[in-house]
Amino acid sequence: MSHVTDLPVWAAILVCGLTVLGAAIALIGSVGLLRFTSFYERLHAPTLATSGGVLLICTASIICFAVLQSRWVFHEILIIVFVLVTTPMTLMLLGQAALYRDRVEEKHGVPLKQRPPREEPVE
Amino acid sequence: MMELTIIWSILIAQIMLGLAMAFAFYRMVRGPRAQDRILGLDTLYINAMLMLLTFGIRTANSIYFESALIVALIGFVSSIAFGKFLMRGEIIE
Amino acid sequence: MRTWFPYPLLSAGLLAIWLLLNQSVAPGTILMGSVLATGLGWVTLKLGLARSHPRRVLLMLRFGFTIALDIIRSNLAVAAVILRGRRRPPNSGFLTVDIDLDDENALALLACVMTATPGTAWLEYDRLRKSLLFHVLDMENERVWIDTVKRYEAALKEIFG
């Protein structure tokens, strides 16, 4: 049974550095989620975790398993691709929902609907 | 010496991810409006997925990878469903 | 060819995902993956999605490289904004820009790219006026962001043109 402590020194340094850096980026993103004052600013915070954090930690995982099992294991790429493709959809939908709700309540400082009222068809 | 460094740095990473989850959870519970709560939930599951990956590195066990993938899938579907609901449903806050 | 694989890129991607999930290139896995890829391609045909033909693989690679660089740079920028904290709150705001892309898939790709890079968030696209509303976290000067979006638009036009 192989263990993470069996890694050679260069791989261990790489794996540790990438993991800690990725976790730090995810933590910074969450701090942003906590600190920002308006919803539209908070919308930017999770993208830190989903781009930087996921990329770095998945790379660390790929290196770790590739060295330990001495064969290339790429299935972490699935997580990277999946998260990179799906998070924009969630955030776009949330942004649109927030815009819709703020417009219904006629909040201040929210851009109005761009389209002019529909014109009557000409007889 | 090297072993201690590895164990400790992965532990530090896990503590940081745990803090990140706690902040996201705070936003989910406190969030002034419904969209803030959903955003908190989204961040919470992303951080949980990263936490599972670090557990996988620590124990050198690839079963954690499968659970991370499932967490990502289910979290995405639930966030989309909540977001769609915000566009149409009646929400009492 | 077209009748068997209405969406060749989608089918190839599905096969690749299947092989990665199973972690093997045994003949049985490849056979099952091909059956799934073909069948799901036909199912997608029923959805009636817009088709587009991305050309120029080299341009696509260069576009991907630019995006990767932009993602790294904006990651650092947004992290700096967050760590700066309450002393200097971010100067965020909404921007509108006119975008003239007809291809739906190019628009979808632009939306994904803009939302995936920290610092910009896609909010709304008006099809009639062809104008896009997006939110920027740190608006030091507006020109830079509008120029970035225009650059993406030009690259996508070239790829899908």
Side-chain angles (χ1 to χ4, degrees), chain A residues 25 28-29 31-33 35-38 40-41 43-45 47-48 50-53 55 71-75 77-78 84-85 87-89 91-92 95-96 99 103 109-116, chain C residues 16-17 20-21 23 71 74-76 78-86 90-92 94 96 108 111-113 115-129 131-133 135-137:
Chain A
I25 287 182
I28 290 173
V31 170
L33 193 69
R35 252 188 194 169
F36 286 151
T37 45
S38 83
Y40 297 103
E41 287 172 7
L43 200 57
H44 298 287
T47 51
L48 271 182
T50 59
S51 61
L55 269 177
R71 69 188 174 107
W72 286 104
V73 183
F74 280 130
H75 57 188
I77 285 183
L78 276 181
L84 273 184
V85 168
T87 326
M89 272 180 245
L91 294 183
M92 255 185 287
Q96 277 173 4
L99 208 63
R103 274 173 186 161
V110 176
L112 295 173
K113 190 109 181 120
Q114 298 172 2
R115 193 174 302 170
Chain C
I17 287 176
L20 272 176
L21 266 181
Q23 298 221 35
I71 285 183
S74 55
N75 254 301
L76 294 177
V78 171
V81 169
I82 291 173
L83 290 179
R84 208 162 67 193
R86 294 187 206 278
N91 174 23
S92 65
F94 299 93
T96 49
C112 275
V113 165
T115 316
T117 44
T120 52
W122 171 290
L123 285 181
E124 193 181 54
Y125 179 68
D126 191 327
R127 279 173 195 282
L128 287 185
R129 295 190 160 198
S131 74
L132 160 72
L133 177 70
H135 187 264
V136 172
L137 179 61

Side-chain angles (χ1 to χ4, degrees), chain C residues 142-156:
Chain C
E142 305 173 7
R143 284 306 321 167
V144 175
W145 292 111
I146 291 180
D147 284 345
T148 313
V149 178
K150 282 283 173 196
R151 214 176 60 222
Y152 289 159
E153 184 202 348
L156 282 173

Side-chain angles (χ1 to χ4, degrees), chain A residues 4 7-23 56-68, chain B residues 2 5-6 9-10 13 53-54 56-58:
Chain A
V4 67
L7 283 174
V9 175
W10 63 270
I13 290 173
L14 216 55
V15 167
C16 292
L18 288 174
T19 314
V20 172
L21 207 63
L56 289 175
I57 291 186
C58 283
T59 317
S61 180
I62 287 176
I63 293 173
C64 177
F65 285 108
V67 174
L68 277 184
Chain B
M2 200 61 215
T5 322
I6 296 173
S9 56
I10 291 179
L53 281 177
T54 52
I57 293 176
R58 185 175 174 177

Side-chain angles (χ1 to χ4, degrees), chain A residues 4 12 16 20 23 26-27 30-31 33-34 39 42 46 50 68 75 82 86 90 93 97-98 100-102 105, chain B residues 6 9 13 16 20 23 26-27 33-36 39 42-43 46-47 57-58 60 65 69 73 76 79-80 87 93:
Chain A
V4 67
C16 292
V20 172
L27 178 60
S30 280
V31 170
L33 193 69
L34 198 65
F39 173 76
R42 278 180 219 131
T50 59
L68 277 184
H75 57 188
F82 186 76
T86 56
T90 315
L93 194 64
Y100 168 75
R101 299 187 73 202
D102 284 348
E105 294 168 13
Chain B
I6 296 173
S9 56
M16 285 201 270
F23 292 159
Y26 175 82
R27 187 47 78 193
R33 309 207 55 202
Q35 54 261 40
D36 293 294
L39 200 63
D42 200 62
T43 320
I46 291 279
N47 284 323
I57 293 176
R58 185 175 174 177
F65 162 80
L69 197 62
L73 279 167
F76 165 66
S79 298
I80 287 285
M87 299 282 281
E93 286 180 301

